[in-house]
Amino acid sequence: MIYICSFAITTGLIWLVEHSKENKYNRIVVIIALLIPCLLAAFRASSIGTDYEVYLKPIFLNALKSNSFIEYLNSRWYSIWRYIYVKDWEIGFTTIIYIVSKLTHSLQFCAFVVEAFIIFPTYGAIENCSHDKNKAFSVFIYLFTFFNISLNNMRQFIAIGFLLLAFSYMLSSNYNIKRAIIYCVISILFHSTAIIGVVFYGVYVFIVKNVKKRKLEYNRNNYKKIVRMIFVGICVIFAMYSVLKIPMIKSLFYNYGWYLSGNFSFMPNQIILRLPILLLYLICWKKQSTDEKYLYGILLIIEIAFSQLAGMSSQTIRITYYCSSFYVISIPYFLKWKNTTTLHSVFSLAIHVYFVIYWLYMYVISNAGATYPYIFYK
């Protein structure tokens, strides 16, 4: 399979760089490794990823026909009994497509650049938060969990990539709040729902409020506060659902209010799907002493709570990606043990197997995002 081969080559190259001596060629090898998924995204047929035909191709064609950027933003196309305007989409995404289309006149190059805007910020976050030669593991998690769906939810995953990069400057030793804010703003320019990053920042500040000299201080007295925070977080999620039912509020969030439309129903499969991650967190919890684990734990709880809203709409599950994207940082963090034991090796192997099974279930069997089987463009 072309997906598996590409994933193996990318992960393998980054593993080789991690386990080799520092030299001037390492950075070049990493770039080549990350360009492989970009090429896979570029040379796919327009049927790979439903949003390719929904907005990438129409926006590209409108960019080619327009004589100016203003004309481009006001251009439109007809789809599903209505006209859709370019200006209806986020300005960050439409600007990138306009520039690339005018420079290259190539839809494939546009798809290439879109994937580059996803994977390079994501890898930047991985690099900032890497622990003990685990970049290849983080990239493995990204490829088997998010790459396929990123071929569909392109705008959202660009936003997620920049949001991860923003938080990496708060979670790592390279603490830089100015960069974090800049990357958060950039993420919102690509997908409005990235405003959820503000909520995550609130959680972060609550947990690591004693940030001094770029170090996260551990406070054992936060347990009761964390329990209250989880309770409040779950209440906020269901309050959002109720508020978005109000017609006036719903009109303000016209583009994405339908993410929370429909009737609620219990989704046990969504809990089962995340059970191995939950078990990993619980088993490895005491082995980590920094406050980061509270952030990752709360994000997982929020993700599980949001996943229960998936019964309302097939699109609602997209909200959970903002939480699950932290897997590329959190899972290597929880598997960072002081001493490598047989138990650690078993956990590590089990997690690798889990993500391969996850990929097979989500993208091969369920065909989420319509990305399997891979077809080359003609």
Side-chain angles (χ1 to χ4, degrees):
M1 283 191 241
I2 190 167
Y3 284 119
I4 298 296
C5 290
S6 300
F7 296 170
I9 294 170
T10 295
T11 306
L13 287 174
I14 292 175
W15 186 89
L16 288 173
V17 168
E18 280 192 296
H19 292 80
S20 63
K21 294 181 180 180
E22 285 289 333
N23 63 71
K24 61 182 180 180
Y25 299 111
N26 281 359
R27 180 60 61 181
I28 296 173
V29 175
V30 169
I31 291 172
I32 291 171
L34 297 180
L35 288 178
I36 292 171
C38 297
L39 290 171
L40 202 59
F43 291 111
R44 74 188 193 269
S46 61
S47 60
I48 303 300
T50 53
D51 284 354
Y52 195 111
E53 289 281 358
V54 170
Y55 61 80
L56 178 61
K57 189 174 181 179
I59 291 175
F60 165 77
L61 293 174
N62 277 268
L64 288 184
K65 293 185 291 184
S66 301
N67 296 315
S68 69
F69 187 69
I70 298 300
E71 181 185 337
Y72 162 68
L73 290 178
N74 290 310
S75 62
R76 63 183 186 176
W77 68 93
Y78 194 73
S79 176
I80 315 178
W81 308 106
R82 66 189 178 103
Y83 282 105
I84 301 174
Y85 288 82
V86 171
K87 64 184 177 183
D88 291 338
W89 307 94
E90 287 82 358
I91 191 66
F93 186 81
T94 54
T95 300
I96 292 300
I97 299 303
Y98 180 79
I99 293 170
V100 175
S101 63
K102 288 299 186 184
L103 290 175
T104 66
H105 293 79
S106 169
L107 181 55
Q108 283 66 46
F109 203 83
C110 281
F112 175 89
V113 170
V114 166
E115 184 59 35
F117 265 76
I118 297 171
I119 200 166
F120 279 93
T122 301
Y123 185 77
I126 290 169
E127 201 166 53
N128 283 343
C129 296
S130 62
H131 301 283
D132 230 3
K133 295 184 178 180
N134 57 20
K135 296 187 190 76
F137 183 32
S138 294
V139 170
F140 173 90
I141 294 170
Y142 166 77
L143 293 173
F144 279 91
T145 311
F146 304 115
F147 174 74
N148 285 70
I149 201 65
S150 76
L151 298 179
N152 181 39
N153 305 348
M154 294 169 280
R155 294 162 25 255
Q156 185 179 10
F157 271 90
I158 293 177
I160 286 172
F162 279 107
L163 204 57
L164 278 174
L165 186 56
F167 269 81
S168 72
Y169 281 103
M170 290 187 280
L171 299 172
S172 70
S173 57
N174 299 323
Y175 184 80
N176 190 320
I177 190 62
K178 290 182 180 179
R179 287 191 180 185
I181 292 172
I182 289 170
Y183 287 127
C184 271
V185 172
I186 291 174
S187 71
I188 295 170
L189 293 177
F190 283 94
H191 207 276
S192 304
T193 58
I195 194 70
I196 199 171
V198 175
V199 177
F200 292 169
Y201 180 71
V203 173
Y204 168 80
V205 170
F206 177 85
I207 295 171
V208 289
K209 59 182 178 180
N210 297 319
V211 176
K212 296 178 181 178
K213 296 182 181 179
R214 300 181 179 183
K215 292 182 179 180
L216 305 178
E217 296 183 355
Y218 181 51
N219 185 348
R220 292 180 180 273
N221 298 319
N222 276 334
Y223 288 103
K224 290 183 179 179
K225 293 181 180 179
I226 294 302
V227 171
R228 287 199 298 268
M229 185 68 180
I230 293 171
F231 176 75
V232 171
I234 293 173
C235 289
V236 167
I237 290 169
F238 287 98
M240 284 174 60
Y241 168 66
S242 300
V243 168
L244 284 170
K245 287 289 187 178
I246 301 172
M248 185 175 69
I249 300 297
K250 195 171 184 178
S251 65
L252 294 175
F253 295 93
Y254 174 77
N255 287 335
Y256 303 108
W258 52 278
Y259 275 21
L260 296 176
S261 61
N263 297 316
F264 173 79
S265 60
F266 180 60
M267 303 288 289
N269 62 314
Q270 294 296 332
I271 297 176
I272 294 170
L273 199 61
R274 292 163 177 81
L275 194 57
I277 306 299
L278 180 60
L279 290 175
L280 174 70
Y281 282 21
L282 292 173
I283 292 169
C284 300
W285 190 264
K286 290 185 178 180
K287 295 184 179 295
Q288 305 304 328
S289 59
T290 63
D291 286 339
E292 292 172 62
K293 67 181 183 181
Y294 293 108
L295 175 64
Y296 300 143
I298 289 176
L299 288 177
L300 180 61
I301 296 230
I302 292 174
E303 179 193 347
I304 292 172
F306 265 127
S307 73
Q308 292 308 297
L309 305 179
M312 298 188 300
S313 166
S314 60
Q315 304 299 323
T316 309
I317 199 67
R318 295 185 178 197
I319 301 174
T320 65
Y321 297 147
Y322 285 107
C323 297
S324 60
S325 61
F326 278 82
Y327 290 170
V328 300
I329 299 172
S330 64
I331 292 175
Y333 165 83
F334 278 108
L335 283 174
K336 182 190 69 174
W337 294 9
K338 291 181 179 179
N339 299 311
T340 302
T341 62
T342 302
L343 184 61
H344 177 273
S345 299
V346 169
F347 281 167
S348 181
L349 177 61
I351 288 298
H352 279 80
V353 171
Y354 163 74
F355 281 114
V356 172
I357 293 173
Y358 176 92
W359 183 83
L360 289 170
Y361 171 75
M362 289 295 294
Y363 303 116
V364 177
I365 298 173
S366 302
N367 199 18
T371 61
Y372 187 86
Y374 184 86
I375 304 171
F376 284 97
Y377 86 97
K378 296 181 181 178

